[in-house]
């Protein structure tokens, strides 16, 4: 595929562009993602990126699969119009071909093609994915039925019973695409599939003016109630936070308030004696510890330790999430230090530490869906789980975290990190130095679990850190792990 910048220039000049291919791989999808990131940013619609690329991934994969099926039937000489032979062919195709790359390499040598057309029309961006094989009437009927049904679902929870076992099938892709279109405000009726004797076309239009629809589900209501019911920080702590912000504060005022809280006292002493602050002799007194760590670090510590003490008591999944968050924090700190200003490193650390707060509530409210969303994100290679959370529950863990952070009066940069750690391109420029490290740190952390890989990474973030290849990213990850003293 051509460079995305060149494609975009042609598209802007001619108002339309055709991208032709016979099969796809992760590099191809990454280019498509990058192209749409640039296009939607120009249209000021970047918030749609994850939705649009998820839909595109589904319909492109379906188109290639349809061509592969026709090619395979021809190759093994199956009469597509004979129902018995057709049924046998489909079974073979599913067991021998799906998920394997062999047929895709063969497809590249045939006339079977897929064309992705993008047109900048007067009222919106028209997207068509066309492949040059027709749909078998039986399949076409089934697809239309699926589309009709999907349009009736309000959210993913409605569809759950019908499709939960179809994690690999095309049916789920259609339902997912239609629900995503509904949720973004593009509308379910924008999606259509047309077929004649030679071609099949899947089409949808993204209008320039959109009114996003808010989904309200029972789970979402439970989540909002849960956020509402979270305790506030206690009075002593709020007072301490205020004192840390005031440069005229006397150390004694702070000490008096800290010593009445034994857990806090021990956290502060621990921090002052940790590697980062170690002065050569053991610090035993809280006043000395505060002098060593400073008001600004103390403020961060107070915030984290209070958040932690509320959440730890309340949620059984706390340690699992916290473990991931401390690793992300280590990554984020290193990235901020290496590529940015030294003074941002501690902020980046804190961002990493608190980025997934919303997950605790999501997991506590309905783990059946949380697990399912997590599996689907992995199996269908969706760029971010927040997309599925929004269509199925009506609120993502990033949005839940944002609500929690606002409730507890977190500083603005932290709210921004929590809100945009899965969609860093949407963040305001002045917060990029905090959001990007948390985003990349979180992704690198999840490389280990196999949930995400290099192909999911935003090109813009990689460019900012001069990571031009997969090897650059791998090397960076190794370097960070190597220097983490076993913390990652
Ligand atoms: Fe997250
Ligand atoms: Fe995370």
């Amino acid at each position: 595929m051509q460079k995305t910048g060149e494609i975009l220039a042609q598209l802007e000049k001619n108002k339309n562009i055709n991208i032709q291919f016979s099969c796809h791989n992760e590099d191809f999808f990454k280019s498509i993602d990058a192209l749409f990131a640039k296009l939607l940013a120009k249209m000021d619609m970047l918030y749609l990126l994850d939705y649009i690329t998820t839909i595109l991934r589904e319909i492109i994969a379906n188109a290639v699969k349809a061509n592969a099926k026709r090619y395979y039937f021809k190759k093994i000489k199956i009469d597509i119009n004979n129902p018995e032979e057709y049924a046998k062919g489909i079974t073979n195709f599913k067991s021998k071909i799906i998920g394997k790359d062999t047929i895709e390499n063969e497809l590249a040598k045939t006339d079977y093609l897929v064309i992705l057309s993008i047109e900048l029309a007067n009222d919106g961006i028209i997207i068509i994915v066309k492949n040059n094989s027709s749909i078998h009437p039986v399949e076409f009927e089934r697809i239309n039925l699926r589309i009709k049904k999907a349009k009736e679902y309000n959210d993913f929870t409605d569809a759950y019973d019908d499709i939960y076992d179809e994690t690999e099938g095309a049916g789920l892709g259609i339902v997912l695409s239609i629900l995503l279109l509904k949720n973004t405000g593009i509308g379910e009726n924008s999606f259509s599939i047309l077929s004649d004797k030679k071609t099949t076309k899947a089409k949808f239009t993204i209008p320039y003016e959109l009114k996003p629809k808010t989904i309200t589900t029972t789970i979402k209501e439970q989540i909002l109630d849960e956020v509402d019911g979270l305790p506030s920080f206690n009075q002593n702590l709020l007072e301490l936070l205020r004192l840390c912000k005031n440069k005229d504060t006397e150390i004694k005022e702070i000490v008096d308030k800290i010593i009445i809280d034994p857990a806090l006292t021990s956290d502060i002493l621990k921090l002052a004696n940790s590697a980062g602050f170690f002065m050569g002799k053991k610090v035993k007194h809280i006043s000395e510890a505060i002098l060593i760590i400073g008001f600004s670090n103390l403020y961060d510590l107070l915030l984290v330790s209070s958040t932690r003490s509320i959440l730890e008591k309340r949620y059984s999944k706390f340690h699992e999430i916290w473990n991931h968050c401390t690793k992300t924090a280590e990554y984020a700190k290193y990235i901020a230090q290496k590529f940015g200003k030294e003074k941002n490193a501690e902020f980046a650390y804190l961002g990493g530490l608190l980025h997934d707060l919303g997950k605790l509530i999501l997991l506590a409210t309905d783990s059946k869906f949380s697990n399912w969303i997590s599996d689907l994100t992995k199996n269908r290679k969706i760029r971010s789980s927040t997309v599925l959370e929004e269509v199925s529950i009506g609120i993502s863990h990033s949005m839940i975290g944002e609500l929690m952070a606002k409730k507890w009066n977190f500083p603005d940069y932290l709210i921004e990190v929590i809100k945009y750690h899965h969609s860093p391109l949407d963040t305001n420029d002045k917060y990029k130095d905090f959001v990007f490290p948390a985003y990349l740190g979180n992704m690198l952390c999840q490389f280990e679990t196999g949930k995400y890989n290099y192909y999911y990474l935003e090109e813009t973030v990689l460019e900012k850190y001069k990571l031009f290849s997969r090897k650059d990213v791998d090397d960076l990850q190794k370097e960070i792990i190597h220097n983490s003293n076993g913390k990652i």
Side-chain angles (χ1 to χ4, degrees):
M1 204 170 125
Q2 240 177 311
K3 284 216 167 94
T4 52
E6 289 168 16
I7 299 180
L8 192 67
Q10 281 176 29
L11 179 60
E12 285 184 310
K13 195 169 147 226
N14 304 327
K15 300 290 168 211
N16 68 59
I17 188 106
N18 288 327
I19 301 166
Q20 195 172 298
F21 50 96
S22 57
C23 49
H24 53 70
N25 56 21
E26 287 304 322
D27 273 331
F28 175 77
F29 279 128
K30 194 161 186 274
S31 305
I32 295 287
D33 290 350
L35 174 65
F36 274 85
K38 287 175 184 157
L39 177 62
L40 292 170
K42 274 195 187 280
M43 307 287 178
D44 208 13
M45 294 167 108
L46 197 56
Y47 68 99
L48 285 177
L49 180 65
D50 281 336
Y51 296 96
I52 301 299
T53 51
T54 304
I55 298 170
L56 271 174
R57 188 182 265 273
E58 293 294 339
I59 57 183
I60 287 175
N62 277 351
V64 171
K65 205 189 279 174
N67 275 356
K69 204 191 293 180
R70 288 296 165 276
Y71 168 71
Y72 178 70
F73 278 21
K74 236 186 196 172
K75 188 177 152 186
I76 60 168
K77 298 195 173 61
I78 275 192
D79 174 9
I80 209 157
N81 295 314
N82 176 327
E84 260 174 43
E85 280 193 30
Y86 178 78
K88 213 171 92 195
I90 286 285
T91 315
N92 280 341
F93 180 74
K94 280 188 181 159
S95 64
K96 291 188 182 145
I97 306 297
I98 291 184
K100 302 183 178 80
D101 310 331
T102 41
I103 197 138
E104 301 213 337
N105 298 333
E106 287 178 44
L107 262 182
K109 293 173 205 142
T110 69
D111 296 332
Y112 285 104
L113 284 174
V114 179
I115 297 171
L116 164 65
S117 312
I118 306 168
E119 184 188 336
L120 303 181
N122 287 335
D123 49 354
I125 309 169
I126 303 174
I127 295 169
I128 298 174
V129 176
K130 190 164 104 177
N131 61 293
N132 55 355
S133 57
S134 63
I135 305 185
H136 189 275
V138 177
E139 281 174 59
F140 195 46
E141 202 178 314
R142 216 182 40 228
I143 286 174
N144 277 325
L145 208 71
R146 187 62 95 186
I147 294 177
K148 194 169 158 263
K149 232 174 158 188
K151 287 182 179 175
E152 287 162 11
Y153 297 136
N154 275 319
D155 55 62
F156 232 29
T157 47
D158 280 350
Y160 180 77
D161 289 335
D162 279 354
I163 53 170
Y164 81 99
D165 55 345
E166 253 202 72
T167 41
E168 299 297 330
L172 179 63
I174 288 171
V175 173
L176 184 59
S177 302
I178 287 176
L179 283 170
L180 287 168
L181 289 169
K182 232 183 202 183
N183 194 35
T184 50
I186 294 175
E188 63 277 25
N189 292 324
S190 150
F191 184 80
S192 61
I193 293 187
L194 300 167
S195 182
D196 59 27
K197 283 203 174 77
K198 286 188 181 137
T199 57
T200 304
K201 260 195 232 174
K203 177 182 169 186
F204 67 99
T205 306
I206 312 167
Y208 299 127
E209 299 275 335
L210 266 187
K211 288 189 205 80
K213 182 175 170 273
T214 351
I215 290 188
T216 308
T217 62
T218 329
I219 309 176
K220 180 178 173 182
E221 279 168 9
Q222 283 170 17
I223 288 173
L224 295 179
D225 284 348
E226 178 67 25
V227 175
D228 255 359
L230 284 172
S232 309
F233 292 158
N234 66 44
Q235 209 46 47
N236 189 47
L237 186 93
L238 290 172
E239 186 59 16
L240 271 168
L241 289 170
R242 194 188 60 76
L243 288 171
C244 287
K245 283 271 170 212
N246 182 354
K247 60 177 182 352
D248 297 328
T249 301
E250 300 272 336
I251 286 205
K252 188 175 177 318
E253 288 178 82
I254 294 191
V255 172
D256 289 348
K257 294 202 174 307
I258 286 174
I259 49 175
I260 55 174
D261 187 333
L264 204 54
T265 309
S266 120
D267 275 356
I268 292 170
L269 286 173
K270 229 186 268 167
L271 181 72
N273 284 302
S274 70
F277 293 99
F278 190 61
M279 311 285 281
K281 76 174 179 35
K282 199 164 163 56
V283 179
K284 290 193 189 120
H285 297 289
I286 201 75
S287 52
E288 204 185 340
I290 294 170
L291 272 178
I292 292 171
I293 61 183
F295 281 8
S296 150
N297 287 315
L298 180 62
Y299 181 93
D300 293 355
L301 177 76
L302 292 169
L303 206 61
V304 172
S305 114
S306 319
T307 306
R308 180 180 173 146
S309 83
I310 292 178
L311 299 175
E312 196 169 19
K313 282 186 213 117
R314 213 172 161 96
Y315 300 107
S316 58
K317 292 276 167 71
F318 177 82
H319 289 283
E320 191 184 306
I321 302 284
W322 196 253
N323 196 12
H324 159 71
C325 286
T326 44
K327 282 188 185 179
T328 303
E330 289 293 333
Y331 273 116
K333 182 178 171 180
Y334 195 96
I335 293 164
Q337 230 158 14
K338 185 175 167 94
F339 300 104
K341 297 184 193 94
E342 179 76 29
K343 72 174 174 54
N344 287 342
E346 289 306 320
F347 295 119
Y349 183 84
L350 202 57
L353 206 52
L354 298 172
H355 78 283
D356 264 342
L357 290 190
K359 252 199 185 148
L360 284 168
I361 291 195
L362 191 71
L363 288 172
T365 321
D366 199 311
S367 58
K368 176 177 86 175
F369 278 107
S370 314
N371 292 339
W372 188 52
I373 286 168
S374 170
D375 286 350
L376 275 183
T377 307
K378 195 167 161 181
N379 293 343
R380 299 191 83 82
K381 301 193 169 77
I382 293 170
R383 279 156 46 90
S384 152
S385 60
T386 56
V387 168
L388 286 180
E389 287 162 4
E390 280 166 29
V391 277
S392 53
I393 296 170
I395 188 164
S396 66
H397 73 278
S398 316
M399 289 150 85
I400 303 170
E402 181 198 356
L403 293 176
M404 296 163 81
K406 283 187 173 157
K407 183 180 170 112
W408 287 328
N409 278 323
F410 282 10
D412 287 347
Y413 83 91
L414 270 182
I415 299 179
E416 199 83 358
V417 169
I418 294 170
K419 185 173 178 187
Y420 294 117
H421 72 272
H422 286 286
S423 51
L425 305 189
D426 288 341
T427 192
N428 186 305
D429 271 352
K430 73 174 185 205
Y431 296 115
K432 284 197 170 135
D433 284 339
F434 312 111
V435 176
F436 281 19
Y439 160 78
L440 187 56
N442 177 52
M443 292 301 263
L444 290 177
C445 209
Q446 307 235 32
F447 279 14
E448 287 168 39
T449 61
K451 187 167 179 185
Y452 299 119
N453 61 43
Y454 169 72
Y455 294 101
Y456 290 71
L457 296 175
E458 294 287 2
E459 230 181 28
T460 315
V461 176
L462 294 179
E463 275 165 17
K464 182 174 161 76
Y465 296 138
K466 302 196 166 41
L467 300 166
F468 299 117
S469 66
R470 189 177 187 148
K471 187 178 175 299
D472 289 349
V473 175
D474 285 346
D475 288 349
L476 174 68
Q477 182 165 28
K478 277 185 208 138
E479 180 185 323
I480 299 178
I481 293 176
H482 180 77
N483 288 304
S484 76
N485 295 325
K487 288 186 194 142
I488 299 178

